Amino acid sequence: MIHFSVKIRLYPTKEQVVTLAQHFGCARWWWNYALNKCIETYKETGKGLTRSAMNSMLPKLKKEVETEWLRECYSQVLQSVSLNLSRAYLNFFAGRARYPRFKSKLRKQSIQYPQQVKQIGSNLKFPGKLGIVKAKIHRPLDGEIKTVTVSMTSSGKYYASVWLEKEGTVVVSNTKENIIGIDLGIKDFAITHDGNKTSKYGNLRHLAKHQKNLKRKQQKLARKQLGSNRRNKAKKLAARVYERISNVRQDFLHKLSRKIVNNNQVVVVENLNVKGMVRNHKLAKAISDCSWSKFINFLDYKLSQEGKLLVEIDRFFPSSKTCSNCHYKVDKLPLDIRDWTCPSCGTHHDRDENAAINIRAEGIRIMQTSLGTSDAAKGGNVRPKLGRVSRLGDSL
Ligand SMILES: [Zn+2]
């Protein structure tokens, strides 16, 4: 089975806008209520609430006078909230996400229909009160509609993100297509090469200015008397800056990994020994700022959700020092040297671009070796197993 998603602009009528606002409100209320229950339960028992434990609270709430308006909401929308909240907890415990947060009505609003949404012409038909909503579907949806998330942006636009499933397996038909190599760097966070094109993606150095701010706030905090009101206030301020830094970082990592996963079947990265590198003090802060290992984690789970492949190559592979044109290896290439000329073939290299090309090539080599011969790989019957294949590399 292949899974993929399509984003569709929706044009609800005035009545539907009201219905959607109701649903957003109910879903948000239920999320916050259930999250609160989870936090209480966690404090008491050290465990979260399961999805079914959350769902079992709903019938009673719908009978109580203060919360009977929950009945207005299509019940599966509320059950999706329970599912997403329990997943958010799992992701948190697996270190993939931050702790689930309370939802505010000032942010983007969304609800989820886990099933029974249908395409009717260029419109979408939702179960329950919402009904048929005018949409802009450019191509017929090629697959079975699974989950549909309806969202409203803060500027008031409506979208449906449709998760589709169709028969078939992800096939690496030609092992050189849709493969991207990524070099993770300091000057640029990520440098990618897809066989034709090299792209560079921002760095997180702009966070340095927040970091300075944080340091200042923390110093102020340290000077305040324990237990004083001023200390509490300073603590809150520092926490807010810290949260802003991690939000900006997390957002960047999610967006970039999503983009790379959408456009590629196979992603090749270096297996980083981040611990080893952090020991180098000069680099340390930049590295932790850049959150490489988190990024690889994001790539990994997004790829495996879609049956795609992450290939991790050995971190001792000399990706920077090898000429991607003639494979000549230079002895030394200090970090501050950003570009160099190959003494053997005379090719002029941008340091990071050259590394990304080499990483991609090494990934292809590992895949071809671990899949048998390169001819077999070209045959197209290779179905990557879910998860990382760095193990394949190790076992060679
Ligand atoms: Zn060369």
Side-chain angles (χ1 to χ4, degrees), residues 267-366:
V267 178
V268 190
V269 292
E270 278 177 304
N271 184 340
L272 294 166
N273 177 1
V274 174
K275 265 188 200 145
M277 297 188 78
V278 170
R279 248 176 257 139
N280 178 338
H281 285 293
K282 235 179 168 182
L283 283 175
K285 209 156 79 69
I287 288 173
S288 47
D289 271 355
C290 291
S291 320
W292 290 336
S293 56
K294 201 170 214 174
F295 181 64
I296 293 178
N297 236 324
F298 285 176
L299 282 172
D300 188 28
Y301 91 88
K302 286 189 170 100
L303 286 164
S304 65
Q305 269 177 357
E306 299 185 21
K308 296 175 175 179
L309 209 54
L310 181 76
V311 178
E312 286 184 284
I313 64 171
D314 195 297
R315 71 193 148 88
F316 296 113
F317 173 73
S319 59
S320 300
K321 286 188 282 191
T322 306
C323 168
S324 57
N325 185 46
C326 73
H327 307 296
Y328 179 85
K329 201 180 122 200
V330 294
D331 287 337
K332 268 185 194 162
L333 198 64
L335 264 175
D336 55 333
I337 294 186
R338 305 312 307 171
D339 55 326
W340 56 285
T341 303
C342 172
S344 171
C345 73
T347 307
H348 192 72
H349 293 296
D350 171 282
R351 180 198 182 96
D352 299 326
E353 176 178 26
N354 179 57
I357 294 172
N358 284 328
I359 288 169
R360 179 176 181 272
E362 177 67 4
I364 291 171
R365 191 193 65 77
I366 288 179

Side-chain angles (χ1 to χ4, degrees), residues 219-228 230-232 234:
Q219 282 166 348
K220 265 190 184 169
L221 173 62
R223 285 197 296 268
K224 301 277 185 280
Q225 215 175 349
L226 269 176
S228 69
R230 286 182 174 206
R231 188 184 169 91
N232 285 339

Side-chain angles (χ1 to χ4, degrees), residues 11-22 130 132-133 158:
Y11 301 92
T13 63
K14 273 183 190 161
E15 276 182 347
Q16 286 170 333
V17 166
V18 174
T19 305
L20 281 169
Q22 253 173 3
L130 190 57
I132 296 178
V133 180
Y158 293 83

